[in-house]
Amino acid sequence: MKDLIVTTISKNYNWIDIKNWIVSLKNTSYNGDILVLAYNFPDKHEYIDKLNQLGVQVLTPKNTYRAEYDNDFIWHSGQATPSNANKLIHNVRLFHLWQYFTETQADLNYNRVIFTDGRDVIFQTNPSEWLNEFMTKDILVPSEGVLFKDEPWGANNVLSNYGPYVYEYILKDSYTCNVGTFACSAKLCKDLCLTLYLMSNNIGVADQTSFNVLTQTLLKDKCQWVDYNDLWALQIGTIVNDLDRYVKFENGIISSLKTNKPYCLVHQYDRVPKYKNYFDQNIN
């Protein structure tokens, strides 16, 4: 069975960022399906046309979890509040993927679902090939290489969304893990997405914290943690000020200094101007 890669975009994104995601994936040998959840778009739009021409299935969700019509979803996390977090695309993308699988049973057609952010991820190698070789459990959990207690954004996100007890007892001494680059067996993905959404929809920007809580508790036995040395995903955000200790950038490829091999996915590449400039100009 083939894999499905899912990402999320908004009409507020720049095309060049979306292009970098889809074209970099197309430039690998990946031959599974691709699904894009596209928010705040009209039924006809040039971005959707371009994605369709590249063989991508695009969904334009226009309902909330309360079955209310909406085409004004919150796309910037800085605008999220407890009263509108149910419409934040970081959170609601999980609900709409669950809804799509529930209504179509499309998840039965796949081996795995690869779930990535859409604006700041590029692919360097075929993700299915990496997963075929190295994935051993139902959920692949990508570490950001830093403990919650040593990462101010992550610690504050836990405290503001779930409070001091969850922070102290569950997450403080565990590694922050990124929800924007995880993989999951298709048989588990639907229920995982719904649970993550329901944990997040009325508190704030909680998709990542919810993912960390769930994978450290109820689903821990089903999880396989990977870090920078495993070459699945480079998470630049938490190590951006110390990047030269981890990676090298030669001939347009970002590789591990330790293994001299390329990362499959590069996340948050836009936080490094020389990476952003290079990929904007050379991914075609």
Side-chain angles (χ1 to χ4, degrees):
M1 296 175 72
K2 57 189 173 181
D3 291 341
L4 174 70
I5 294 182
V6 181
T7 198
T8 306
I9 65 172
S10 170
K11 186 169 68 71
N12 311 84
Y13 289 4
N14 294 320
W15 170 251
I16 197 165
D17 299 323
I18 302 168
K19 181 268 295 183
N20 287 350
W21 185 91
I22 181 58
V23 175
S24 69
L25 176 59
K26 287 286 187 175
N27 286 343
T28 74
S29 57
Y30 176 75
N31 62 0
D33 288 349
I34 304 169
L35 173 68
V36 171
L37 300 171
Y39 288 93
N40 303 327
F41 284 90
D43 291 333
K44 295 289 185 179
H45 192 277
E46 62 175 319
Y47 290 7
I48 296 175
D49 291 341
K50 289 178 179 179
L51 288 168
N52 286 334
Q53 290 167 10
L54 288 165
V56 176
Q57 180 182 359
V58 181
L59 299 181
T60 55
K62 292 182 171 61
N63 65 278
T64 70
Y65 78 110
R66 295 185 179 275
E68 300 161 335
Y69 175 86
D70 204 306
N71 199 31
D72 188 23
F73 290 90
I74 308 300
W75 69 277
H76 193 292
S77 59
Q79 300 170 347
T81 67
S83 63
N84 68 20
N86 67 294
K87 297 199 305 176
L88 176 67
I89 64 173
H90 304 62
N91 295 338
V92 77
R93 57 184 175 170
L94 295 157
F95 173 82
H96 286 130
L97 183 56
W98 169 83
Q99 181 183 359
Y100 168 69
F101 284 159
T102 299
E103 292 175 351
T104 66
Q105 296 188 319
D107 53 312
L108 301 179
N109 298 322
Y110 298 110
N111 181 27
R112 294 168 299 229
V113 178
I114 304 161
F115 191 92
T116 84
D117 290 344
R119 187 184 54 79
D120 60 356
V121 168
I122 61 159
F123 296 85
Q124 298 193 124
T125 64
N126 182 339
S128 290
E129 290 182 353
W130 190 98
L131 295 171
N132 287 341
E133 185 171 359
F134 298 112
M135 187 171 177
T136 60
K137 292 193 175 183
D138 282 323
I139 306 172
L140 190 78
V141 184
S143 168
E144 294 180 327
V146 63
L147 300 175
F148 272 94
K149 64 183 179 183
D150 298 325
E151 209 284 286
W153 184 93
N156 182 67
N157 191 262
V158 178
L159 289 165
S160 61
N161 285 312
Y162 282 112
Y165 295 101
V166 168
Y167 174 73
E168 185 73 26
Y169 298 154
I170 300 176
L171 294 182
K172 183 180 77 170
D173 294 312
S174 66
Y175 284 98
T176 67
C177 294
N178 193 275
V179 73
T181 52
F182 82 90
C184 182
S185 65
K187 65 183 180 182
L188 198 68
C189 187
K190 180 172 67 175
D191 291 343
L192 174 60
C193 286
L194 178 62
T195 303
L196 288 172
Y197 176 70
L198 294 176
M199 291 173 68
S200 308
N201 73 334
N202 287 316
I203 50 177
V205 189
D207 59 325
Q208 182 149 306
T209 292
S210 299
F211 180 70
N212 278 268
V213 169
L214 201 56
T215 55
Q216 284 290 344
T217 55
L218 186 65
L219 297 179
K220 191 169 186 176
D221 290 344
K222 295 183 179 295
C223 294
Q224 174 190 353
W225 281 265
V226 291
D227 63 19
Y228 299 115
N229 295 320
D230 297 300
L231 302 178
W232 167 249
L234 174 64
Q235 315 287 350
I236 289 176
T238 53
I239 58 169
V240 66
N241 296 320
D242 204 20
L243 200 56
D244 289 342
R245 286 184 54 205
Y246 293 86
V247 307
K248 65 177 182 178
F249 184 51
E250 292 181 353
N251 301 318
I253 301 295
I254 302 174
S255 301
S256 163
L257 270 180
K258 185 172 182 179
T259 66
N260 201 33
K261 294 180 180 179
Y263 293 94
C264 182
L265 288 73
V266 177
H267 184 211
Q268 300 156 335
Y269 69 91
D270 57 341
R271 302 192 188 190
V272 183
K274 68 178 180 179
Y275 293 175
K276 172 69 171 164
N277 292 337
Y278 179 87
F279 294 131
D280 284 355
Q281 295 174 25
N282 290 281
I283 294 180
N284 297 297

Short mmCIF file of all heavy atoms in Angstrom, two decimals, residues 6 18 20 27 73-74 78 99 126 134 161-162 213 216 245 248 258 260:
data_model
loop_
_atom_site.label_atom_id
_atom_site.label_comp_id
_atom_site.label_asym_id
_atom_site.label_seq_id
_atom_site.Cartn_x
_atom_site.Cartn_y
_atom_site.Cartn_z
N VAL A 6 0.24 14.72 3.77
CA VAL A 6 -0.78 15.74 3.99
C VAL A 6 -0.10 17.02 4.47
O VAL A 6 0.77 16.98 5.35
CB VAL A 6 -1.80 15.29 5.06
CG1 VAL A 6 -2.88 16.37 5.26
CG2 VAL A 6 -2.44 13.97 4.67
N ILE A 18 4.69 27.64 -0.83
CA ILE A 18 3.93 26.44 -1.20
C ILE A 18 4.68 25.68 -2.30
O ILE A 18 4.79 24.46 -2.28
CB ILE A 18 2.52 26.82 -1.66
CG1 ILE A 18 1.78 27.58 -0.55
CG2 ILE A 18 1.73 25.59 -2.09
CD1 ILE A 18 0.50 28.25 -1.01
N ASN A 20 7.86 25.63 -2.90
CA ASN A 20 9.04 24.95 -2.38
C ASN A 20 8.67 23.60 -1.78
O ASN A 20 9.41 22.61 -1.93
CB ASN A 20 9.74 25.82 -1.33
CG ASN A 20 10.46 27.01 -1.94
OD1 ASN A 20 10.61 27.11 -3.15
ND2 ASN A 20 10.89 27.92 -1.10
N ASN A 27 10.43 16.42 -6.70
CA ASN A 27 11.79 16.18 -7.19
C ASN A 27 12.44 14.94 -6.56
O ASN A 27 13.53 14.55 -6.97
CB ASN A 27 12.67 17.41 -6.93
CG ASN A 27 12.35 18.55 -7.89
OD1 ASN A 27 11.72 18.35 -8.93
ND2 ASN A 27 12.76 19.75 -7.53
N PHE A 73 -10.81 31.21 8.51
CA PHE A 73 -10.07 30.52 9.56
C PHE A 73 -8.84 31.32 9.96
O PHE A 73 -8.29 32.08 9.16
CB PHE A 73 -9.66 29.12 9.09
CG PHE A 73 -10.82 28.18 8.96
CD1 PHE A 73 -11.51 28.06 7.77
CD2 PHE A 73 -11.23 27.41 10.04
CE1 PHE A 73 -12.59 27.20 7.64
CE2 PHE A 73 -12.31 26.55 9.94
CZ PHE A 73 -12.99 26.44 8.73
N ILE A 74 -8.44 31.17 11.21
CA ILE A 74 -7.29 31.90 11.74
C ILE A 74 -6.01 31.26 11.23
O ILE A 74 -5.77 30.08 11.47
CB ILE A 74 -7.30 31.89 13.28
CG1 ILE A 74 -8.65 32.36 13.83
CG2 ILE A 74 -6.15 32.75 13.82
CD1 ILE A 74 -9.04 33.75 13.43
N GLY A 78 -0.28 34.05 16.08
CA GLY A 78 -0.29 35.21 16.96
C GLY A 78 -1.67 35.79 17.17
O GLY A 78 -1.88 36.59 18.09
N GLN A 99 -12.21 14.33 9.55
CA GLN A 99 -13.50 14.39 8.86
C GLN A 99 -13.39 13.77 7.46
O GLN A 99 -14.27 12.99 7.04
CB GLN A 99 -13.97 15.84 8.76
CG GLN A 99 -15.32 16.00 8.08
CD GLN A 99 -15.73 17.46 7.94
OE1 GLN A 99 -15.03 18.37 8.37
NE2 GLN A 99 -16.88 17.68 7.30
N ASN A 126 13.21 10.88 -0.55
CA ASN A 126 11.88 10.28 -0.56
C ASN A 126 11.49 9.85 0.86
O ASN A 126 12.12 8.94 1.43
CB ASN A 126 11.90 9.06 -1.49
CG ASN A 126 10.55 8.38 -1.61
OD1 ASN A 126 9.68 8.50 -0.76
ND2 ASN A 126 10.38 7.63 -2.69
N PHE A 134 13.31 2.49 8.20
CA PHE A 134 13.61 2.78 9.61
C PHE A 134 12.40 2.82 10.55
O PHE A 134 12.58 2.69 11.76
CB PHE A 134 14.36 4.12 9.72
CG PHE A 134 15.69 4.13 9.03
CD1 PHE A 134 15.88 4.91 7.90
CD2 PHE A 134 16.75 3.36 9.49
CE1 PHE A 134 17.10 4.94 7.25
CE2 PHE A 134 17.97 3.38 8.85
CZ PHE A 134 18.16 4.16 7.72
N ASN A 161 -1.24 26.51 28.04
CA ASN A 161 -2.33 25.69 27.53
C ASN A 161 -2.79 24.61 28.51
O ASN A 161 -3.98 24.32 28.61
CB ASN A 161 -1.92 25.01 26.22
CG ASN A 161 -1.92 25.98 25.05
OD1 ASN A 161 -2.87 26.73 24.86
ND2 ASN A 161 -0.85 25.97 24.27
N TYR A 162 -1.85 24.01 29.25
CA TYR A 162 -2.19 22.87 30.09
C TYR A 162 -1.84 23.04 31.57
O TYR A 162 -2.18 22.18 32.38
CB TYR A 162 -1.50 21.61 29.55
CG TYR A 162 -2.21 21.03 28.35
CD1 TYR A 162 -1.62 21.04 27.09
CD2 TYR A 162 -3.47 20.48 28.48
CE1 TYR A 162 -2.27 20.51 26.00
CE2 TYR A 162 -4.14 19.95 27.38
CZ TYR A 162 -3.52 19.96 26.15
OH TYR A 162 -4.17 19.44 25.07
N VAL A 213 1.91 15.66 24.81
CA VAL A 213 1.24 15.04 25.95
C VAL A 213 0.77 13.64 25.60
O VAL A 213 0.99 12.67 26.34
CB VAL A 213 0.05 15.90 26.43
CG1 VAL A 213 -0.81 15.14 27.44
CG2 VAL A 213 0.54 17.21 27.04
N GLN A 216 3.49 11.05 25.16
CA GLN A 216 4.21 10.73 26.39
C GLN A 216 3.32 10.00 27.40
O GLN A 216 3.80 9.61 28.46
CB GLN A 216 4.74 12.02 27.05
CG GLN A 216 5.96 12.61 26.38
CD GLN A 216 7.20 11.77 26.58
OE1 GLN A 216 7.27 10.91 27.45
NE2 GLN A 216 8.22 12.03 25.76
N ARG A 245 26.90 23.43 14.50
CA ARG A 245 27.33 22.24 15.25
C ARG A 245 26.64 20.98 14.74
O ARG A 245 27.09 19.87 15.02
CB ARG A 245 27.00 22.41 16.74
CG ARG A 245 27.90 23.36 17.49
CD ARG A 245 27.54 23.35 18.96
NE ARG A 245 27.56 21.99 19.50
CZ ARG A 245 26.86 21.61 20.55
NH1 ARG A 245 26.06 22.45 21.18
NH2 ARG A 245 26.93 20.36 20.99
N LYS A 248 25.82 20.80 7.73
CA LYS A 248 26.58 21.55 6.73
C LYS A 248 25.70 21.74 5.51
O LYS A 248 24.78 20.95 5.24
CB LYS A 248 27.87 20.82 6.36
CG LYS A 248 27.67 19.49 5.67
CD LYS A 248 29.02 18.88 5.29
CE LYS A 248 28.85 17.57 4.53
NZ LYS A 248 30.14 17.00 4.12
N LYS A 258 27.51 14.81 11.45
CA LYS A 258 27.92 13.56 12.06
C LYS A 258 27.95 12.42 11.04
O LYS A 258 28.86 11.59 11.05
CB LYS A 258 26.99 13.20 13.21
CG LYS A 258 27.40 11.96 13.99
CD LYS A 258 26.54 11.77 15.22
CE LYS A 258 26.98 10.56 16.03
NZ LYS A 258 26.18 10.38 17.26
N ASN A 260 27.28 12.90 7.49
CA ASN A 260 27.55 13.36 6.14
C ASN A 260 26.46 12.91 5.15
O ASN A 260 26.72 12.77 3.96
CB ASN A 260 28.92 12.90 5.64
CG ASN A 260 29.44 13.75 4.50
OD1 ASN A 260 29.18 14.95 4.44
ND2 ASN A 260 30.15 13.14 3.58
#
